Structures are given as structure tokens and as C-alpha cells.
Amino acid sequence: MKRSTAFALAFWALLAGFIALDWVRATPLNRFDEPPPWALRQPAVEGAGHCAAPLK
């Protein structure tokens, strides 16, 4: 086996290992836990927005 082939195989094996480790250790994403993109007919909550918050 050529040296470059061995380095390529080692790289892809390490990359796959890191992805597998991240997949196993990460908490699952709850995509329904996010706030709605538009607050249509939602009650106003003081301090909820970060973009329009006054500077302190």
C-alpha cells in the first residue's frame, strides 16, 4: 500500500470515528422546541426579543 493511500484511509477512518462519536454523545435536536418565526396572534412577552431590546 502506498503511503498516500494509507494516510487517506487513516483520515477517512478518523473522520468517520469523530462523526460517530458526536452522533452518539450529542443530545437529540427537538425541532419543535424553537419559537415561531412570526409572532402572529401571540401574546406580547416583555423581554422576549433580543434585536429590539433597549440598550442598558
Side-chain angles (χ1 to χ4, degrees):
M1 185 181 321
K2 293 170 76 175
R3 187 174 181 175
S4 61
T5 305
F7 279 124
L9 287 174
F11 169 78
W12 289 113
L14 285 172
L15 182 66
F18 283 134
I19 291 173
L21 180 67
D22 183 54
W23 186 274
V24 170
R25 304 251 341 198
T27 57
L29 174 67
N30 183 0
R31 60 189 181 109
F32 299 108
D33 193 26
E34 299 176 1
W38 297 283
L40 300 175
R41 298 189 185 109
Q42 297 291 328
V45 178
E46 186 175 335
H50 61 86
C51 295
L55 298 174
K56 293 182 180 179

